[in-house]
Amino acid sequence: MQRRRFLAQSLASTAALAAPAVWAQGAPKPTPIKFTLDFRVTGQTSPFFLAQQRGHYAAEGLDVSIDVGSGSVASITRIVSGAYQMGLGDISSLIEFQAANGGTPAVQAVYQYYNRAPFAIIGRKDRGVTSDFKSLQGKKVAAAAVESTRRAWPMVARQLRVGEDFFQWSTTDFSARDNVMVRGDVDAATYFHDSAVSLFARMKPEELSVLKYTDAGVNLYGNAILASNAMITQNPAAVSAFLRATNRAIQESFADPVAAIAATKVREPILNEAVELERWRITREYVAAADTRGHGLGDVLKRTLEQQVDEVSEVFKLKMRPSVEGIFHRGFLPSLDARTIKA
């Protein structure tokens, strides 16, 4: 009798332990998404890490891994190669890529992260660089070999009506750019405005002049969230889910930047919180630029994007002009209410 009772209790206990395992096996597996940043882990992209830490991606049924990038141009080729399904990449570079590769777009923008490109040239005042772009004439300007700010310069030069030899380029690795500026090896350097926070930490901001491309009348959309054609066509629900979770985290980053930077430091503990908070403050100005007050975060104005396509096509003498619809796919954006800035 005792043996029978013991067996019954054992079977009941085994069934109780097995129940959660059976439930877990029946639940749908999270959709894996490999996401490439445009560059290093910094406050510029803190919303992605906040979404990851707070479980926003997991709540949408996604298993998102985030890797560092090697430039916003390289993100496009990473996605096209199939190594990544989504990432941050430059819109102007995407226009060039699609012009060179006809047919069905291999990659499209699905959410405009930088409503305005944070492109800037930052110069040393003691070298005669002022807030006027004309002060760059004859100067030595550092830039990486392939990076968005350098590639977009011809559009500024066209606006200013200056020649290609207006100043001298000094090809410098990203990691050495601050050093050559501090040492005085060059007179100025290209930056994403928010990336220059590392320079501001080593040189007094009042010693530097920030020349924003937008101040020259060049209004360009910057890095956007990109998705591969395979992801768009085979798993559109996952694209929408990723954007919902990310958009939610962007709103939360506006409301509580300290939490956003804390989440980023979990991934990169070496980061300086004060520096990254200042970096995010500058980033926010470009993410939530004037246009977003009308159409919300993540969207674009068709006419502005058309002008960018025209500008890039003319400056780089592209053989064909990609359609706006081929560049930017609006079908996955979260609702306007969710994208309306609340903080």
Side-chain angles (χ1 to χ4, degrees):
M1 186 70 176
Q2 289 179 340
R3 173 178 171 78
R4 194 175 303 156
R5 187 181 300 116
F6 173 77
L7 287 173
Q9 291 174 342
S10 298
L11 288 171
S13 299
T14 302
L17 290 171
V22 171
W23 178 85
Q25 290 173 5
K29 291 184 179 179
T31 300
I33 293 180
K34 289 194 67 179
F35 184 86
T36 176
L37 296 174
D38 54 335
F39 198 40
R40 297 189 300 250
V41 175
T42 69
Q44 290 163 292
T45 51
S46 55
F48 298 97
F49 297 101
L50 186 64
Q52 194 173 51
Q53 187 201 56
R54 290 188 169 177
H56 296 344
Y57 293 132
E60 292 282 359
L62 305 176
D63 178 14
V64 176
S65 60
I66 304 173
D67 290 343
V68 297
S70 55
S72 53
V73 179
S75 295
I76 297 171
T77 55
R78 281 185 169 191
I79 295 170
V80 172
S81 73
Y84 293 84
Q85 293 79 45
M86 302 184 76
L88 274 181
D90 177 53
I91 285 286
S92 292
S93 299
L94 181 61
I95 293 169
E96 286 188 80
F97 177 84
Q98 291 198 5
N101 299 272
T104 302
V107 58
Q108 288 180 283
V110 291
Y111 187 104
Q112 191 59 49
Y113 188 66
Y114 282 111
N115 185 261
R116 283 295 180 273
F119 300 160
I121 291 178
I122 298 179
R124 295 178 56 124
K125 289 182 179 179
D126 62 357
R127 297 295 182 84
V129 180
T130 69
S131 57
D132 187 344
F133 275 94
K134 296 294 179 67
S135 67
L136 291 171
Q137 186 171 11
K139 297 295 191 292
K140 192 174 182 180
V141 181
V146 180
E147 52 106 352
S148 306
T149 309
R150 178 173 181 167
R151 289 192 55 75
W153 167 253
M155 287 178 264
V156 180
R158 188 168 180 259
Q159 189 77 14
L160 299 174
R161 298 181 180 179
V162 299
E164 294 182 4
D165 59 349
F166 186 64
F167 56 69
Q168 177 189 350
W169 287 113
S170 175
T171 300
T172 307
D173 188 75
F174 281 117
S175 61
R177 189 168 44 186
D178 288 355
N179 292 336
V180 298
M181 279 287 286
V182 172
R183 289 198 304 261
D185 298 344
V186 296
D187 307 301
T190 60
Y191 281 90
F192 270 29
H193 186 185
D194 39 11
S195 293
V197 172
S198 57
L199 177 65
F200 299 155
R202 298 177 64 183
M203 294 184 69
K204 296 178 180 178
E206 55 266 27
E207 297 175 344
L208 301 165
S209 295
V210 179
L211 292 84
K212 303 178 185 178
Y213 283 19
T214 53
D215 290 342
V218 178
N219 291 311
L220 302 172
Y221 289 118
N223 283 359
I225 297 176
L226 311 178
S228 67
N229 176 261
M231 194 72 179
I232 288 172
T233 56
Q234 297 172 18
N235 204 340
V239 177
S240 296
F242 182 90
L243 297 186
R244 281 194 301 272
T246 302
N247 181 82
R248 178 181 175 185
I250 292 173
Q251 294 276 25
E252 292 173 346
S253 297
F254 288 164
D256 190 355
V258 172
I261 299 305
T264 311
K265 278 178 64 66
V266 171
R267 170 65 180 266
E268 195 64 70
I270 197 172
L271 294 177
N272 181 296
E273 183 177 3
V275 169
E276 297 310 319
L277 281 169
E278 175 61 13
R279 195 191 306 274
W280 172 248
R281 185 193 66 76
I282 298 174
T283 298
R284 176 186 169 135
E285 295 176 8
Y286 293 93
V287 173
D291 290 354
T292 60
R293 300 295 171 179
H295 58 54
L297 296 166
D299 205 352
V300 298
L301 294 174
K302 183 178 180 181
R303 181 58 191 147
T304 302
L305 185 53
E306 286 175 340
Q307 290 173 344
Q308 186 164 346
V309 172
D310 290 343
E311 188 78 9
V312 172
S313 298
E314 291 177 22
V315 168
F316 295 110
K317 297 178 174 57
L318 304 183
K319 295 181 180 179
M320 61 167 285
R321 297 191 180 196
S323 69
V324 168
E325 292 76 16
I327 296 294
F328 193 87
H329 194 314
R330 299 183 68 254
F332 303 103
L333 290 174
S335 69
L336 177 59
D337 179 66
R339 294 184 292 104
T340 299
I341 299 172
K342 300 173 176 61

